[in-house]
Amino acid sequence: MNVSPPDIRELTALLKLLDDETPEVRSGVSGRLAEVGGDFSEILPDVARNLKETEKKILADILRPVRRKVLREEWLTPRFGSAALGDDWELFESHLRLLSDFLHDGVSLRQPLSDALDLLAEEIQEAHPLPPTANDIRVFLFEEGRLKGNKSHYYDPHNTDLAWCIAEGKSNPIGLGVIYMLLGQRLNVEIEGISFPGHFLCRIYEESHPLVVDCFDDGRVHSQEILTDPSNDLSREQRQMLRQSADLGMILLRLLNNLIDSFQRMKLVEDAELITEMRDSMQRERR
């Protein structure tokens, strides 16, 4: 027999039982709340305005398996895996949105990733009436402190939730770099990713000269010519990597690997296994 999802009145009653530790009650409440989906953030103000932090934590835990199910069902693995992304920014961003929705707690209200990027791009355009350059975007985001390196929680899974990163104003090197690149794409500015071992970087061009941007270090700029000079301390392989650009598929795989590492560090086994499944599907097809 099909059972309709709970309406507003039932949801209000169910949420009042969140802290009931009776196994039968907890099981029934969890099952019914899961019928609504993995995101309560927009309806929560209408059904429970004053949830305690402990109750929000319980609700987020109830919604987590639902979001795992949604991610598994909606994740799209192209025929040739990550290699198929090429320069398909729309497909790339759709994968980032799925990861962002999965990593969201389903309770706090915030902008979806694409909306957050659109608004940030509008802010940049307002600050630069002339078409902004890659350097203008760099200064706005990093030198002026709109986004900072999340140095105190470097391995936090939230660093891969780019909607969270924009809202909180912080992320790890690849999170900051990908936001920079996505804004460049929106503003018709060329910004490349550099998948340097242990540290993601970006490349921009000023008067045809390539410059390497360290988004995690407040957007510090380095001359690529100087970095790749044989007299530099970098190895030959490292200098070669600095000259190469990471394709979108490679960047997505690196994001997934970072997320797996973060979940493993936090002992979140089911989440780590799910993202490993997503990663492996992309790698298998890429071969």
Side-chain angles (χ1 to χ4, degrees):
M1 182 177 68
N2 292 328
V3 179
S4 300
D7 57 19
I8 295 296
R9 179 178 298 180
E10 184 182 355
L11 284 174
T12 302
L14 289 168
L15 291 172
K16 290 179 180 178
L17 298 172
L18 280 174
D19 57 0
D20 191 314
E21 297 183 0
T22 308
E24 294 81 6
V25 174
R26 178 61 60 85
S27 177
V29 169
S30 298
R32 288 298 284 159
L33 291 176
E35 293 289 331
V36 179
D39 189 347
F40 266 64
S41 58
E42 293 191 2
I43 63 173
L44 198 56
D46 296 327
V47 295
R49 294 180 179 275
N50 299 307
L51 281 185
K52 295 179 291 187
E53 288 303 314
T54 53
E55 293 172 323
K56 290 180 180 179
K57 174 65 167 57
I58 293 169
L59 179 57
D61 288 343
I62 289 172
L63 300 178
R64 196 168 194 87
V66 182
R67 293 198 303 279
R68 287 194 199 105
K69 181 175 182 290
V70 171
L71 179 61
R72 180 173 279 109
E73 290 176 347
E74 296 189 1
W75 185 265
L76 175 63
T77 302
R79 180 180 177 186
F80 297 106
S82 60
L85 268 68
D87 58 355
D88 190 338
W89 288 89
E90 183 177 349
L91 181 58
F92 179 60
E93 189 171 320
S94 72
H95 282 87
L96 298 179
R97 284 197 304 269
L98 286 173
L99 291 174
S100 181
D101 291 344
F102 165 65
L103 291 165
H104 182 221
D105 61 10
V107 177
S108 56
L109 192 62
R110 70 169 193 197
Q111 295 171 332
L113 174 58
S114 295
D115 292 349
L117 287 165
D118 289 343
L119 288 173
L120 195 50
E122 289 176 10
E123 286 184 46
I124 295 170
Q125 288 178 311
E126 289 174 3
H128 297 277
L130 296 175
T133 65
N135 192 58
D136 291 332
I137 302 171
R138 179 192 66 81
V139 171
F140 179 92
L141 290 178
F142 308 119
E143 281 195 7
E144 296 179 2
R146 181 64 176 79
L147 296 176
K148 304 287 289 185
N150 192 359
K151 297 179 181 179
S152 59
H153 295 93
Y154 190 87
Y155 297 104
D156 190 335
H158 284 109
N159 290 317
T160 306
D161 177 357
L162 300 189
W164 179 90
C165 298
I166 293 171
E168 297 297 321
K170 57 188 177 182
S171 187
N172 58 13
I174 192 169
L176 296 174
V178 171
I179 292 171
Y180 187 28
M181 294 172 67
L182 288 167
L183 288 168
Q185 178 66 17
R186 276 167 166 72
L187 297 169
N188 297 312
V189 172
E190 183 178 13
I191 301 171
E192 300 171 350
I194 303 173
S195 191
F196 195 76
H199 197 66
F200 191 85
L201 301 163
C202 288
R203 177 171 28 252
I204 63 176
Y205 295 88
E206 286 282 310
E207 297 180 353
S208 300
H209 295 291
L211 302 174
V212 175
V213 178
D214 187 345
C215 302
F216 196 70
D217 188 18
D218 299 327
R220 187 178 178 184
V221 179
H222 304 265
S223 166
Q224 180 174 300
E225 183 178 357
I226 293 175
L227 288 178
T228 57
D229 189 279
S231 64
N232 198 293
D233 291 336
L234 297 177
S235 67
R236 179 180 178 183
E237 291 75 15
Q238 288 174 322
R239 294 197 300 271
Q240 183 61 29
M241 288 176 181
L242 283 173
R243 296 187 184 97
Q244 296 174 348
S245 298
D247 62 53
L248 298 182
M250 184 184 297
I251 294 172
L252 180 59
L253 286 175
R254 184 157 177 172
L255 282 164
L256 294 172
N257 281 325
N258 281 2
L259 191 52
I260 293 165
D261 180 62
S262 296
F263 283 143
Q264 289 175 338
R265 288 172 182 271
M266 297 180 67
K267 311 300 182 185
L268 296 172
V269 177
E270 286 187 79
D271 292 331
E273 289 177 348
L274 174 60
I275 301 303
T276 299
E277 180 183 325
M278 306 294 101
R279 190 272 315 273
D280 289 351
S281 72
M282 302 294 281
Q283 286 185 321
R284 182 170 59 251
E285 294 293 339
R286 189 180 179 98
R287 298 190 197 105

